[in-house]
Amino acid sequence: MNILITILFVIFAAFILTSAIMTVTVRNIVHAALWLISSFFGVGALYLLMEAEFLGVAQVLIYVGALSILILFAIMLTHDLEGSQHRQLTPRWWIALIVPAALFGLLIVPTVMTHAWQLPPPPPAGQPPAISGAQQIGTAFMREYLLPFEVAAILLLVAMIGAIVVAFEERERRRRVLTLAEQVRLRQQQRRSAAPSPEPAATAVQASEATGGET
């Protein structure tokens, strides 16, 4: 059974890494969004493999069902879906490759070297089970992990306020919609400006005729 779990873990991990690499390397932005959705599915499968059913279902519902649809709606508002006129990689792509690799090494090497990779023993009788369901997760959010939960809520609030400010600035820069009276007035002004003015010679003749008639 452990061998099967290990094989499934390697398959899901390879699928997630492949999807992530394809997300940042494909030229079509719609294809990138689809690869991102497949990566989210792989993460949900890992949660199910770790017997965290609630987290797996939440991963699929929130990331695949909500955020991915939001990303696709944002993509549909863009003009260049192919991106053929843009550079695929920046000139300093190697810096963006070295820095994450170094951070990943600093995190994973101590974990691999010091962590005991044995399955934890079952909890003794009378001890509450580990955090696995929705009720246990909600209780842990309100007790053990209250401070990180509040910090995450503040960060999301700041992001929402920033999105509102950006949207308001974009709205201010856009052309204001004219009312019906303003449209009528604008059309009248355009007709007056477009009407041909009388030529100077014809104006002089009309003025002389009017002067002769008066005399």
Side-chain angles (χ1 to χ4, degrees):
M1 186 65 182
N2 293 331
I3 297 176
L4 179 60
I5 292 177
T6 303
I7 293 174
L8 291 177
F9 176 80
V10 171
I11 293 174
F12 290 148
F15 178 75
I16 293 171
L17 290 177
T18 304
S19 301
I21 292 173
M22 294 299 295
T23 301
V24 297
T25 54
V26 295
R27 191 173 293 272
N28 193 314
I29 192 171
V30 178
H31 296 169
L34 295 178
W35 281 111
L36 182 62
I37 293 174
S38 63
S39 178
F40 289 156
F41 269 116
V43 175
L46 283 183
Y47 284 138
L48 294 178
L49 188 64
M50 293 186 293
E51 298 182 356
E53 293 84 5
F54 176 77
L55 292 179
V57 173
Q59 171 76 18
V60 174
L61 291 179
I62 295 175
Y63 284 91
V64 178
L67 292 181
S68 300
I69 299 301
L70 180 62
I71 292 173
L72 289 175
F73 271 110
I75 289 173
M76 294 306 166
L77 298 177
T78 59
H79 298 286
D80 189 5
L81 296 180
E82 294 294 332
S84 57
Q85 302 298 327
H86 304 283
R87 293 179 58 90
Q88 193 68 15
L89 297 176
T90 62
R92 299 182 180 180
W93 60 270
W94 53 274
I95 298 177
L97 179 63
I98 292 175
V99 173
L103 293 176
F104 180 76
L106 291 176
L107 292 175
I108 198 64
V109 170
T111 303
V112 173
M113 299 299 295
T114 60
H115 185 73
W117 296 94
Q118 286 88 17
L119 294 177
Q127 184 177 354
I131 299 174
S132 59
Q135 183 177 359
Q136 291 81 8
I137 291 175
T139 304
F141 275 152
M142 294 294 105
R143 291 182 180 177
E144 292 87 355
Y145 302 101
L146 180 61
L147 182 60
F149 182 70
E150 295 294 334
V151 172
I154 293 174
L155 292 177
L156 291 176
L157 178 62
V158 171
M160 183 176 66
I161 294 175
I164 293 173
V165 171
V166 171
F168 183 77
E169 292 178 354
E170 291 291 335
R171 180 181 178 184
E172 289 295 328
R173 284 198 295 264
R174 283 183 293 181
R175 184 175 61 86
R176 186 174 63 88
V177 179
L178 299 178
T179 61
L180 182 60
E182 291 175 345
Q183 292 179 3
V184 173
R185 193 179 305 113
L186 180 61
R187 290 176 182 177
Q188 291 177 354
Q189 293 177 358
Q190 291 177 351
R191 290 175 182 175
R192 291 174 184 174
S193 61
S197 59
E199 297 181 357
T203 305
V205 171
Q206 292 177 359
S208 61
E209 291 178 354
T211 304
E214 292 179 354
T215 56

